[in-house]
Amino acid sequence: MVVLINDLVHPVWVLHCNDLVHSVRDEHLNDLVHPVFGVHFDDLVYPVLGVHFNDMSIQYEPECKTLDNDLVHPVWMIDPCSEKRYTVIDDYRRSPYYNAKPSERRLCDNRIKHGWYRFKINGSDAEMPTTCIPHGCGTRAPIWLPLPADGLPSPGKKIRTQACASFEVPGRELECCGLKFPVTVKNCGDFFAYRLRSTKGCDLAYCTKAINVVCEVGQVYVLHLQKCVGK
């Protein structure tokens, strides 16, 4: 496939100011959508080098340092909180309390497509646990989300962090973070959107827990604080 992108240069990306808004500088190419093809950049492969675009380096033109030259082009900005921008994964087996039976095939996310996801369990919103999960989640090595130093993002914000896969090796202690996977988390107000990628191996799968919190009268559950607070 030959991909022509007028304002980008191979093999080092040069992003022109007239295609960017200032906040885009905090985005990775895989968070941008090509205005013509309507797909994420990381889904396009450079036909000669055979590598994904998001594996190449990014450079900004010198004049991009002047904010006056930063003009917004709406197609470059995507909101993962929009229903059409994420994929729902609703699977009760991803719960920390679910252990696969010996005869059951364990969950494996080696074929998950790089993109934004919203977790649910039996139709209700769920989130990645922020404490080590020794077992469960329908897999051999559950992937959980260590709580970042600054905590989870507040509504409308997002962070880039790393998720950990925990697993046990016979005769050794539990390894809570034996493998790491880059994850982006966006707080959509009522739920978290997660940008995930393939585990490239089995049996590893992203773990989720249901948000079943009942607050006292006069309180409301705050997603990023993971607790009830007064209204």
Side-chain angles (χ1 to χ4, degrees), residues 1 7 11 47 49 58 69 74 111 115 120 124 135 153 181 198 210-212 227:
M1 175 174 60
D7 293 321
L49 298 179
I58 306 173
N69 289 336
R111 293 186 178 181
K120 291 188 176 185
S124 298
H135 51 74
F181 301 90
S198 166
I211 306 175
N212 295 324
K227 65 179 182 179

Side-chain angles (χ1 to χ4, degrees), residues 44-61:
L44 304 178
V45 177
Y46 187 57
V48 177
L49 298 179
V51 298
H52 287 94
F53 287 144
N54 65 319
D55 291 332
M56 298 181 180
S57 59
I58 306 173
Q59 291 183 350
Y60 295 99
E61 289 186 319

Side-chain angles (χ1 to χ4, degrees), residues 21-192:
V21 65
H22 182 56
S23 60
V24 172
R25 296 179 191 180
D26 294 329
E27 306 288 338
H28 290 310
L29 281 178
N30 55 19
D31 288 332
L32 304 179
V33 174
H34 189 276
V36 177
F37 293 96
V39 297
H40 291 99
F41 279 111
D42 64 330
D43 292 330
L44 304 178
V45 177
Y46 187 57
V48 177
L49 298 179
V51 298
H52 287 94
F53 287 144
N54 65 319
D55 291 332
M56 298 181 180
S57 59
I58 306 173
Q59 291 183 350
Y60 295 99
E61 289 186 319
E63 59 267 29
C64 282
K65 296 179 180 179
T66 303
L67 295 181
D68 291 341
N69 289 336
D70 292 332
L71 303 180
V72 63
H73 193 306
V75 295
W76 291 108
M77 300 295 293
I78 66 170
D79 182 8
C81 297
S82 173
E83 187 174 355
K84 295 182 179 180
R85 292 299 185 187
Y86 62 76
T87 299
V88 174
I89 296 180
D90 190 338
D91 194 336
Y92 68 91
R93 295 174 299 172
R94 292 182 180 271
S95 166
Y97 305 107
Y98 185 85
N99 292 299
K101 300 178 179 64
S103 59
E104 185 179 359
R105 185 174 181 177
R106 292 181 174 87
L107 293 177
C108 180
D109 285 333
N110 65 328
R111 293 186 178 181
I112 195 171
K113 187 178 179 181
H114 193 182
W116 287 98
Y117 293 86
R118 177 180 182 177
F119 287 119
K120 291 188 176 185
I121 293 181
N122 295 327
S124 298
D125 279 305
E127 61 185 4
M128 292 185 66
T130 54
T131 56
C132 179
I133 304 299
H135 51 74
C137 305
T139 189
R140 188 183 302 276
I143 301 175
W144 59 285
L145 188 70
L147 193 63
D150 295 332
L152 294 169
S154 56
K157 303 295 184 180
K158 66 180 178 180
I159 59 170
R160 293 185 181 87
T161 184
Q162 289 185 318
C164 289
S166 57
F167 55 85
E168 291 182 279
V169 177
R172 298 178 59 182
E173 294 183 357
L174 171 69
E175 185 72 46
C176 274
C177 201
L179 294 172
K180 295 183 179 181
F181 301 90
V183 174
T184 301
V185 186
K186 174 72 180 286
N187 188 329
C188 297
D190 296 327
F191 65 93
F192 285 121

